[in-house]
Amino acid sequence: MKNSLKNEKCDFGEFKNLIIPPSYLTSINQMRKDKKTDYAVLASKLGKQWTPLIILANSRSGTNMGEGLLGEFRILLNPVQVFDVTKTPPVKALQLCTLLPCHSARVLVCGGDGTVGWVLDAVDEMKIKGQEKYIPQVAVLPLGTGNDLSNTLGWGTGYAGEIPVAQVLRNVMEADGIKLDRWKVQVTNKGYYNLRKPKEFTMNNYFSVGPDALMALNFHAHREKAPSLFSSRILNKAVYLFYGTKDCLVQECKDLNKKVENWMVSE
């Protein structure tokens, strides 16, 4: 068998433009030892169509479908470019982009709105570090309960395995990039003796204040405490229904319009 494979060259198949070849990473390691950082010449050997894809999947999302997707992506791509964000935070995983040609990398986030927001926050940190030229384009495979952001961007309201993983990769290869508004929102408590510092949040083109935000917060807090209990999308929706019904009775957000000042910035 070894003799028959000696002269065979692996072309990486259909997804060669998404795969980071092991030989590329070996060469990068050698360049770093030699204190060289210009990877453009090395990448030119892989062709102009090479747009390496990094997979960031939440293994807890989508009735634990994320776990199975991680395995399938590792079969089709190089396993080193597939990350479970519950084990490797996005901030750390995205540092792989700095070993790739400028503006070449793409990222596929497999998870809900929270996971996508987590990844985009990591992209913001890349800007703070002065790594703008390495920032990747981001695609979404919606595995969460709501998936509002994914639906807004045209990636659908939810993925349940109806499309083969290979087709998902083809969709990413053919997708066009668009810009997404990211807002900085500062929340300040009013009062004469208020010693709390203002809280600053980053929002992905929309944010909620009131009962729907309270439901999402309660759901998130309980899922963090007992993630094993939130393994079904149907069950997750039932939990949302419970908190929605509870708020209708308790009315924690009553008279919220009298407590919040509204500011509109035209620029």
Side-chain angles (χ1 to χ4, degrees):
M1 185 176 179
K2 285 182 180 178
N3 291 333
S4 65
L5 292 175
K6 255 180 191 176
N7 299 321
E8 292 290 329
K9 185 178 179 181
C10 177
D11 63 359
F12 297 103
E14 180 184 358
F15 303 114
K16 63 182 180 181
N17 290 328
L18 301 180
I19 294 172
I20 302 175
S23 58
Y24 178 87
L25 296 175
T26 303
S27 300
I28 289 290
N29 282 335
Q30 186 57 49
M31 290 180 71
R32 295 180 77 182
K33 288 178 183 177
D34 298 336
K35 296 183 179 179
K36 297 178 181 178
T37 56
D38 186 7
Y39 309 138
V41 176
L42 187 61
S44 64
K45 299 176 182 178
L46 300 172
K48 294 181 179 179
Q49 301 299 318
W50 188 51
T51 52
L53 179 68
I54 298 171
I55 306 292
L56 301 181
N58 189 335
S59 57
R60 297 176 184 172
S61 296
T63 63
N64 293 328
M65 184 180 289
E67 188 70 44
L69 286 170
L70 284 165
E72 292 190 59
F73 282 123
R74 283 173 180 145
I75 291 172
L76 294 171
L77 306 173
N78 187 340
V80 300
Q81 63 194 95
V82 181
F83 297 90
D84 181 351
V85 295
T86 63
K87 298 176 181 176
T88 306
V91 171
K92 188 175 180 180
L94 288 180
Q95 288 307 298
L96 179 57
C97 296
T98 62
L99 302 179
L100 301 170
C102 302
H103 308 297
S104 67
R106 290 186 174 187
V107 167
L108 175 62
V109 184
C110 307
D113 287 347
T115 305
V116 180
W118 191 12
V119 172
L120 294 179
D121 286 342
V123 169
D124 285 343
E125 288 205 27
M126 291 181 71
K127 293 178 183 177
I128 295 171
K129 293 177 181 177
Q131 298 174 342
E132 286 91 347
K133 61 183 180 180
Y134 299 113
I135 288 176
Q137 292 183 313
V138 179
V140 182
L141 186 64
L143 301 182
T145 303
N147 302 312
D148 294 326
L149 183 57
S150 172
N151 194 31
T152 301
L153 296 175
W155 291 103
T157 56
Y159 177 78
E162 63 277 9
I163 302 174
V165 170
Q167 185 57 47
V168 172
L169 293 179
R170 294 186 194 104
N171 292 346
V172 173
M173 291 171 69
E174 296 169 3
D176 296 320
I178 60 169
K179 291 184 177 181
L180 172 69
D181 287 333
R182 296 267 289 165
W183 298 355
K184 288 285 185 185
V185 179
Q186 193 177 80
V187 180
T188 306
N189 292 308
K190 294 287 185 179
Y192 292 107
Y193 303 105
N194 180 36
L195 300 177
R196 293 181 183 178
K197 291 183 178 179
K199 291 184 178 180
E200 191 173 85
F201 302 92
T202 303
M203 308 292 185
N204 301 320
N205 83 3
Y206 65 91
F207 69 98
S208 298
V209 176
D212 53 339
L214 182 63
M215 280 189 287
L217 180 63
N218 286 331
F219 175 85
H220 173 73
H222 281 77
R223 185 168 63 174
E224 286 295 301
K225 288 180 181 177
S228 60
L229 299 178
F230 295 82
S231 58
S232 165
R233 190 174 284 166
I234 295 175
L235 177 61
N236 292 351
K237 291 182 182 292
V239 174
Y240 265 103
L241 176 63
F242 167 75
Y243 283 121
T245 305
K246 178 184 174 184
D247 190 65
C248 287
L249 300 173
V250 179
Q251 295 186 338
E252 289 185 52
C253 297
K254 186 178 180 181
D255 297 327
L256 185 64
N257 61 311
K258 298 177 183 177
K259 302 173 185 176
V260 177
E261 291 184 22
N262 222 351
W263 293 85
M264 180 66 72
V265 181
S266 60
E267 296 180 1

